[in-house]
Amino acid sequence: MKKRLIVNADDFGLCEEISTGIIKAYREGIVTSTSVVVNGSYFKQGIALLKDSGIDAGIHFTFIGREKPVSGAVDGLVDEQGLFLKGYNEAISKITAGRFDKDALRRELFEQISMLREAGVAISHIDSHQHLHLLPNVSNMIIDLANQFKIKWIRVPRSSIFGIKGIGMNSLSELLKLKMRRYNLCYTDRFIGFEKRGHINEHSLLTLLPDLKYGTTELMVHPGYNASKRYDWEYDWEDELKALTSEAIKAFIKENEIVLTSFKEI
């Protein structure tokens, strides 16, 4: 048995800075897959770059963060300007309580995945912005779409953070895994990168990689060029890009016989 590592870069399509950084990390580094935001400002402009690169691509369902719905308003989850809610806590509260138009969200998710498929992208996996697909009121929709579009991989994130947030995420992840097994859908053996999201550097990679277990692990990353003028997330996009293209990291992976792979390859 081997140690297989999928290095998945989230947020292709959000903006040019992030998207071009992801492709650089794929061409010159260890990134193997990306997840695409079809309602991001750079999606239409960047689709040729995505396809020409040959990178494995999945859908990054986005219905938070002031991005614009592609199918019309989703009552309960949009603000006065018709954009998806910015605040994570507000969105979580409304989704958990069911205070939103479920049919409208189901239509929105269908349109997002259809846009990516119609752009000529072979969709290998599903995940979402802020992991909102874990929520029970959304996860059933995601599973239905995975079956409908014949996509076998769905991200099941895990956290090693002690406290309510970590316990909550892991509990929802276990529930999602239970649902997925009923439909023979796939998830990786392990998931890493949640605790360091937006702040991965060479040092943190050299801390994470030695602990890889046998089987398949997904490492979530966010490389790019500085997008702080667009997003106030305080992410270190360029530090991640530097780490993911580091010769030291590539050498460590080779020396330790870690197999870089992607969702479409397994």
Side-chain angles (χ1 to χ4, degrees), residues 61-241:
F61 283 124
T62 300
F63 45 103
I64 191 175
R66 304 212 81 234
E67 301 303 327
K68 186 177 181 179
V70 300
S71 64
V74 180
D75 289 347
L77 296 182
V78 295
D79 60 20
E80 294 177 355
Q81 287 76 45
L83 302 177
F84 283 119
L85 298 172
K86 180 179 181 179
Y88 176 77
N89 290 334
E90 184 180 7
I92 287 282
S93 175
K94 289 195 171 187
I95 293 172
T96 301
R99 291 186 285 113
F100 68 100
D101 188 332
K102 293 181 181 179
D103 289 336
L105 180 59
R106 186 178 291 106
R107 182 170 59 250
E108 171 69 18
L109 299 179
F110 176 85
E111 289 300 324
Q112 287 190 21
I113 200 168
S114 295
M115 283 177 62
L116 190 56
R117 176 70 59 84
E118 290 166 5
V121 175
I123 305 169
S124 67
H125 62 280
I126 292 173
D127 52 45
S128 67
H129 205 45
Q130 300 290 341
H131 309 298
L132 293 184
H133 69 286
L134 289 178
L135 297 175
N137 278 332
V138 179
S139 61
N140 290 336
M141 300 180 194
I142 299 298
I143 287 174
D144 287 344
L145 288 169
N147 286 319
Q148 183 175 353
F149 285 84
K150 294 180 171 54
I151 300 167
K152 67 177 183 177
W153 290 96
I154 300 176
R155 173 183 286 169
V156 179
R158 289 81 150 179
S159 173
S160 60
I161 295 175
F162 293 103
I164 294 176
K165 181 176 286 189
I167 293 171
M169 168 176 278
N170 292 336
S171 296
L172 290 171
S173 291
E174 289 302 314
L175 179 60
L176 177 58
K177 285 162 64 174
L178 181 63
K179 293 178 179 180
M180 288 172 62
R181 285 196 290 268
R182 295 173 186 163
Y183 294 94
N184 295 316
L185 296 170
C186 301
Y187 49 87
T188 57
D189 298 310
R190 278 160 290 279
F191 175 90
I192 57 176
F194 176 75
E195 291 74 23
K196 291 289 185 179
R197 60 197 180 280
H199 304 289
I200 285 176
N201 53 35
E202 188 175 283
H203 174 75
S204 58
L205 281 180
L206 290 173
T207 301
L208 286 170
L209 293 177
D211 290 334
L212 279 187
K213 309 298 183 186
Y214 290 102
T216 304
T217 300
E218 179 189 357
L219 167 61
M220 177 184 70
V221 296
H222 296 85
Y225 295 101
N226 190 354
S228 58
K229 290 183 179 179
R230 298 177 183 266
Y231 303 102
D232 60 356
W233 305 342
E234 299 183 351
Y235 276 14
D236 300 319
W237 290 279
E238 293 189 0
D239 285 350
E240 292 215 11
L241 178 57

